Amino acid sequence: MISSEKVVQSTILAPVFIPSVLVSLLLVIGTISNPTLAGEWFSVTLAWVTETFGWFYMLSVAIFLVFLVGVAMSGWGNIKLGPDHADPQYSFPAWFAMLFSAGYGIALLFFGVAEPVLHYASPPQGAPETVNAAKQAMQIAFFHWGVHIWAIYGLAGLALAYFAFRHGLPLSLRSALYPLIGERIYGPIGHAVDVFAILGTMFGIATTLGLSVTQINAGLNYLFPTIPISVTVQIIAIAVITAMATISVFAGLDKGVKRLSIVNMVLAISLMLFVFIVGPTIHILETFLQNTGAYLSGIIERTFNLQAYSRSDWIGNWTLFIFGWTIAWAPFVGLFIAKISRGRTIREFVLGVMLVPTVFTFLWFSIFGDTALHLIMNEGANTLIGAVQEDHSVALFKLYDLLPWSFFISIVTVLLITTFFVTSADSGALVVDSLASGGALQTPAWQRVFWAVLVGMIASVLLLAGGLQALQTMTIVSALPFAVILLISAVGMWRALVIETHRETSLQAHMQTSRNLTGSQWRHRLASMVEFPKRQQVEVFIRETVIDAMNEVAKELKQRGWFTLTEHDADNCRSHLQVMRHEEADFLYDIRLTEHALPGFMLAELQREPDAPDTYARAEVFLRRGGRSYDIYGYDKDDIIKDILDQFENYLHFLHNSPGHLPWDMNEHDDMLNQEDAGQVSR
């Protein structure tokens, strides 16, 4: 009965859900009622935003990149996205496959051939269809899909993961504002941030779906000429594939998105290898190295290039559209990669999110884009230029026309686009539903289905109202307010990291204190090197000696007016001391039984029973930031009290030296950690 209630129980946060749905439905209704007028409005709006705020988009992206690299390379890079004892939830290959599929797999399929060919035929500077135009085309493609867009995704994801998993705040962009506005993130300001995040995500995903169905339509027309290229076919494709996405939605993150993401990666890499082998292999390797060097040498100039002296529509149709699209998608991709990145350090997160996809992207454009340019420049395949200029979505299939086994690889490509489509719709529904539920991690399936269907509706009406231009307009416009939110989030995260430094200083002070061994501590240190207690011994120690020491400290604190709580959990074998504060984070000192494999050098030396487990137990110290990785088994009561007081003194030192510290509300987070670690101690 309880489980069935959980299935249907709503987690909707009305102040976020209602405005988001109303704006989306008004757009759908308005566009359907007069598609022509809507298309004209989209065109005018796109031109105005590009001319007025183009500089702001470029500057914002540059700031995102510098901030993210700076944080990763600093001492803050060692901070974990979660408690200090947390381990990554997914293996690196699975993690990369999921963030790649959710990030921009469809974009690579759509632009991998089209963008280099279009820039070669019509470069922003210089003569078209020359060697210099080819070099420029590839450098522009590298710039558009390199580290800059992953810095946008990375900043959003890092802020979400840091505040949610390390500080127990909702998995929502509003949480990044906590260091600046405190509890007001739960009020109108926080609601407005999440509404903008939802709308940006909706229009960003709609743009992606719109591009993908035009390419699916082109592929179907190539495979089956009787199927026309038309908006009607594309809308039918949206409806069919959105229905497929709902099946993945019901499967959830691990079974649905993860499995589809791995399928996507296998198919994408297979296509890359095929084109690499049958294409100009040596030329691809040479251009990959040369274009990567040119990208690195010109990255600063291109970052700030707005064509201020030669204003044209090119910057809006390309650079600003791609960056705006990425910013609009940042809540979606950021929240998604945050969900799958718990337990990684900030440095691992930044390097993984920025470098690995960028290298993969450069390989993709080198294999597909340079193969197309090679065929045009050296084998006379000039008809490819006209076909791509007439319809961007046919670029990949027209390239296949010039390669062997074109029909077979076209089928694989249509399948890959479809699975990318399903993954994006599924992931987007998960993310938007989480935002509309105040950052809830678990939401009922029917809510996710609702958002998947609404995204499909928005993509359909934007195709009706002007196709690619309408998609570009809504993407760039929705990205404008969210770029401001991301900048504020960077400021909030910087302030939180400064406070984190004070906390680490306090922990270092404890490590210095712990070296001054007294009483039983030096004997314990020696014993811990050569003795490996059984579980039963540690259980008795925690149940009796540890809790007695905690009770004595609690008694003294209560007499001095401090509200304290001690508790022993026999099921999970842990003793717990908590000093509660109204305005600050509580002090938490926890001793937990953990089991570990015996060192290899001991297995041969110890005379053990044949059926005895190859493990030993430890009584480890856990604070609010997770495990401290030291064992107090064997301490006498006085030395345990000394250790508690050392940690409590460090806690008070942190409060004293951080006047702007954050009063994190960790109660819910502690409950989550308690449940998690309850499973850990019995591993």
Side-chain angles (χ1 to χ4, degrees), residues 556-575:
E556 290 295 323
L557 285 172
K558 287 178 181 177
Q559 290 178 356
R560 289 163 172 76
W562 291 69
F563 186 69
T564 61
L565 172 69
T566 60
E567 185 179 11
H568 177 71
D569 180 358
D571 292 337
N572 297 309
C573 194
R574 54 184 292 189
S575 291

Side-chain angles (χ1 to χ4, degrees), residues 649-668:
E649 185 177 24
N650 294 331
Y651 164 79
L652 296 178
H653 175 77
F654 167 73
L655 296 184
H656 175 70
N657 287 280
S658 304
H661 66 278
L662 307 178
W664 306 111
D665 179 8
M666 297 287 288
N667 294 331
E668 179 180 347

Side-chain angles (χ1 to χ4, degrees), residues 409-467:
I409 59 174
S410 295
I411 293 176
V412 174
T413 300
V414 171
L415 177 61
L416 179 58
I417 298 169
T418 303
T419 56
F420 270 136
F421 188 137
V422 173
T423 308
S424 296
D426 184 359
S427 306
L430 289 170
V431 168
V432 172
D433 190 30
S434 180
L435 290 171
S437 300
L441 295 175
Q442 299 295 330
T443 59
W446 68 265
Q447 288 179 199
R448 302 194 296 273
V449 171
F450 169 81
W451 290 111
V453 172
L454 186 57
V455 168
M457 292 174 60
I458 293 175
S460 300
V461 299
L462 289 177
L463 285 173
L464 283 172

Side-chain angles (χ1 to χ4, degrees), residues 502-515:
H502 291 301
R503 189 181 302 276
E504 290 302 315
T505 301
S506 296
L507 293 176
Q508 289 299 322
H510 167 73
M511 295 303 294
Q512 293 294 331
T513 302
S514 66
R515 292 191 179 97

Side-chain angles (χ1 to χ4, degrees), residues 51-100:
E51 293 175 5
T52 308
F53 295 103
W55 66 271
F56 176 72
Y57 283 109
M58 299 294 282
L59 179 61
S60 297
V61 173
I63 292 173
F64 299 158
L65 178 59
V66 172
F67 175 82
L68 208 60
V69 172
V71 169
M73 296 300 105
S74 70
W76 293 329
N78 297 319
I79 296 173
K80 278 198 173 184
L81 301 176
D84 289 340
H85 65 283
D87 293 321
Q89 184 177 3
Y90 298 100
S91 66
F92 186 81
W95 180 55
F96 172 57
M98 293 170 75
L99 67 89
F100 173 82

Side-chain angles (χ1 to χ4, degrees), residues 631-648:
D631 175 21
I632 67 165
Y633 175 75
Y635 280 22
D636 61 25
K637 185 168 70 173
D638 289 339
D639 285 326
I640 295 173
I641 291 174
K642 179 182 181 300
D643 192 65
I644 294 173
L645 295 181
D646 286 342
Q647 295 288 9
F648 187 60

